[in-house]
């Protein structure tokens, strides 16, 4: 007799008092077509064989995931109703579950779930939390829904953070150009810090739009914005945007590049790109302050990749001079690093 036949015969005996007249292996096979175990809010043990089949199929993994709960608006609303009606849950547990669903909505920018399950909340403290989450998770489509209501925008504009900026100043991280235009029409004022938040987006459209709207009042802030823009994953586009908007001159790279290497850990590709632009536009003496500061930054950060590029493709580095320089500073680690270049 085959193993399947053996199992069938055993189950016929076991199922003599069962409400489901099916062998467990067939019941288990049927259940497998319903999807993974995390698609169920609960599984009712209607009989012993049903329970056995579920245990064999899913083991201990029978909890519904939050991802499955927010799969559709109807599923999410169904679970929310169950949570609110569950008298056995203490308030802290209920809040924990709902918070987990909510974070996933913002993390995945699920406009449909937010609109279908959460947008009805009208309390100011909750709306502010929604906007903070949209900013934190860069949830553009959810934020688009929120700012359709001008009262929400005014609430965001009137809520100040610890740095004395309104929450609205941070909004560009979650807004595209059209949304920024709408916020400005509602009276929101943006500042230099808003450009930093815009640079946290994958695209540069918001940053480009804000460059025409924001006043930058000092050189330190200007240089910082340039550095951040050139560290963007689309730094070539950022460079062109900055040049087109006359936000900086090519010689500003002399100030920016050493800072990018020393503090912001610029990539070799970016340094190559910026140096090529700089060398094509101006004459730089090999012993001037710019190259000295650039090389010192590379040595301090142990950036052998950039030093090798400069030494082979730009101009020769006087290694012995810099050994003496760092010996005078008492920086034995940098001296040892330089000895590797001799």
């Amino acid at each position: 007799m085959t193993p399947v036949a053996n199992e069938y015969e055993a189950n016929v005996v076991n199922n003599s008092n069962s409400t489901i007249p099916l062998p467990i292996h067939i019941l288990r096979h049927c259940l497998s077509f319903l999807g993974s175990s995390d698609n169920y809010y609960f599984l009712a043990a209607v009989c012993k064989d049903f329970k056995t089949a579920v245990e064999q199929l899913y083991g201990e993994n029978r909890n519904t995931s939050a991802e499955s709960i927010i799969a559709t608006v109807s599923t999410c609303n169904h679970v929310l109703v169950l949570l609110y009606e569950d008298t056995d849950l203490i308030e802290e547990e209920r809040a924990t579950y709902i918070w987990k669903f909510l974070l996933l909505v913002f993390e995945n920018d699920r406009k449909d779930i937010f609109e279908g399950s959460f947008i009805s909340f009208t309390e100011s403290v909750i709306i502010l939390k929604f906007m903070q989450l949209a900013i934190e998770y860069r949830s553009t489509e959810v934020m688009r829904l929120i700012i359709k209501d001008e009262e929400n925008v005014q609430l965001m504009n009137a809520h100040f953070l610890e740095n004395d900026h309104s929450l609205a100043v941070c909004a560009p991280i979650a807004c595209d150009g059209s949304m920024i235009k709408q916020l400005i029409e509602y009276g929101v004022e943006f500042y230099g810090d808003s450009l930093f938040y815009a640079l946290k987006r994958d695209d540069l459209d918001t940053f480009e739009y804000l460059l025409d709207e924001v006043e930058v009042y000092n050189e330190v802030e200007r240089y910082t914005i340039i550095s951040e823009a050139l560290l963007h994953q689309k730094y070539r586009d950022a460079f062109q945007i900055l040049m087109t908007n006359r936000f900086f001159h090519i010689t500003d790279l002399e100030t920016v590049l050493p800072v990018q290497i020393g503090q912001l850990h610029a990539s070799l590709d970016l340094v190559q790109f910026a140096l090529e632009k700089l060398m094509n536009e101006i004459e730089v003496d090999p012993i001037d302050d710019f190259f000295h500061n650039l090389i010192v930054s590379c040595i301090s950060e142990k950036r052998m990749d950039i030093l090798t590029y400069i030494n082979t493709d730009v101009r020769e580095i006087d290694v012995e001079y810099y050994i003496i320089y760092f010996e005078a500073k008492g920086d034995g680690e940098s001296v040892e690093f330089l000895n590797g270049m001799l």
Side-chain angles (χ1 to χ4, degrees):
M1 188 176 292
T2 65
V4 172
N6 282 330
E7 184 175 358
Y8 178 81
E9 183 177 349
N11 281 306
V12 168
V13 175
N14 290 336
N15 286 335
S16 59
N17 295 319
S18 175
T19 57
I20 302 178
L22 289 173
I24 290 176
H25 74 283
I26 295 178
L27 179 58
R28 187 174 65 235
H29 182 66
C30 294
L31 286 171
S32 70
F33 288 98
L34 297 178
S36 63
S37 62
D38 64 3
N39 286 328
Y40 313 120
Y41 181 66
F42 61 84
L43 286 170
V46 295
C47 71
K48 181 179 179 181
D49 289 339
F50 189 97
K51 179 177 182 293
T52 301
V54 169
E55 287 176 345
Q56 290 179 359
L57 189 62
Y58 299 125
E60 296 300 319
N61 182 28
R62 282 173 279 154
N63 291 325
T64 303
S65 69
E67 288 85 353
S68 293
I69 288 172
I70 66 162
T72 65
V73 174
S74 59
T75 303
C76 188
N77 286 340
H78 174 65
V79 173
L80 287 174
V81 169
L82 290 173
L83 285 173
Y84 281 113
E85 291 179 349
D86 190 342
T87 56
D88 292 331
L89 278 179
I90 62 174
E91 195 59 37
E92 289 78 5
E93 289 178 319
R94 183 179 294 108
T96 298
Y97 292 138
I98 295 173
W99 180 250
K100 188 173 183 180
F101 308 155
L102 191 60
L103 290 184
L104 281 171
V105 168
F106 282 92
E107 184 178 348
N108 294 285
D109 202 9
R110 291 293 301 274
K111 172 184 175 181
D112 57 334
I113 302 297
F114 182 79
E115 187 172 27
S117 303
F118 295 101
I119 203 170
S120 59
F121 289 96
T122 57
E123 297 89 341
S124 296
V125 65
I126 295 179
I127 294 171
L128 278 171
K129 178 55 67 175
F130 285 161
M131 289 186 283
Q132 289 169 339
L133 288 172
I135 290 168
E136 179 181 352
Y137 287 96
R138 310 176 194 184
S139 308
T140 299
E141 296 309 315
V142 173
M143 181 65 93
R144 196 187 306 278
L145 275 176
I146 295 172
I147 67 172
K148 280 184 177 181
D149 188 332
E150 186 174 353
E151 289 186 9
N152 292 343
V153 175
Q154 300 310 328
L155 182 65
M156 179 171 62
N157 205 30
H159 181 72
F160 283 82
L161 306 172
E162 291 180 359
N163 60 6
D164 294 330
H165 286 147
S166 73
L167 183 61
V169 171
C170 311
I173 192 173
C175 296
D176 59 24
S178 65
M179 294 163 67
I180 295 294
K181 180 180 179 182
Q182 179 182 345
L183 291 173
I184 292 173
E185 289 173 352
Y186 284 156
V188 174
E189 293 185 18
F190 293 103
Y191 306 97
D193 280 357
S194 298
L195 290 167
F196 297 129
Y197 286 102
L199 286 168
K200 295 182 183 297
R201 293 176 59 80
D202 292 336
D203 66 83
L204 288 166
D205 294 341
T206 306
F207 175 69
E208 185 173 16
Y209 187 90
L210 279 173
L211 276 177
D212 288 332
E213 303 293 334
V214 170
E215 291 286 341
V216 177
Y217 297 103
N218 61 73
E219 288 293 284
V220 173
E221 186 177 46
R222 189 170 70 88
Y223 282 135
T224 304
I225 291 169
I226 293 169
S227 291
E228 290 290 336
L230 293 181
L231 287 173
H232 195 277
Q233 60 180 336
K234 298 181 179 179
Y235 60 83
R236 295 174 186 269
D237 294 334
F239 176 86
Q240 191 57 53
I241 290 170
L242 291 169
M243 293 293 289
T244 301
N245 286 270
R246 298 180 180 179
F247 192 80
F248 84 120
H249 189 268
I250 191 70
T251 54
D252 287 337
L253 289 173
E254 294 185 48
T255 300
V256 168
L257 266 181
V259 174
Q260 286 186 308
I261 294 169
Q263 299 177 20
L264 303 174
H265 312 295
S267 68
L268 175 60
D269 286 344
L270 171 58
V271 174
Q272 289 175 325
F273 171 78
L275 271 179
E276 287 172 6
K277 293 291 184 183
L278 184 61
M279 300 295 286
N280 287 336
E281 293 290 331
I282 61 174
E283 288 292 330
V284 182
D285 189 274
I287 59 171
D288 70 6
D289 288 342
F290 163 64
F291 263 96
H292 173 73
N293 293 335
L294 187 68
I295 292 168
V296 167
S297 292
C298 289
I299 296 169
S300 298
E301 295 299 314
K302 310 299 181 288
R303 292 298 301 271
M304 183 62 78
D305 55 341
I306 300 176
L307 285 171
T308 301
Y309 162 70
I310 293 173
N311 196 43
T312 56
D313 290 12
V314 181
R315 58 192 61 193
E316 187 176 354
I317 297 172
D318 187 347
V319 178
E320 292 183 350
Y321 166 80
Y322 284 101
I323 288 176
I324 296 171
Y325 174 85
F326 280 98
E327 281 179 342
K329 292 172 68 69
D331 188 345
E333 187 178 345
S334 291
V335 170
E336 184 178 353
F337 172 77
L338 285 164
N339 282 327
M341 294 185 66
L342 291 177

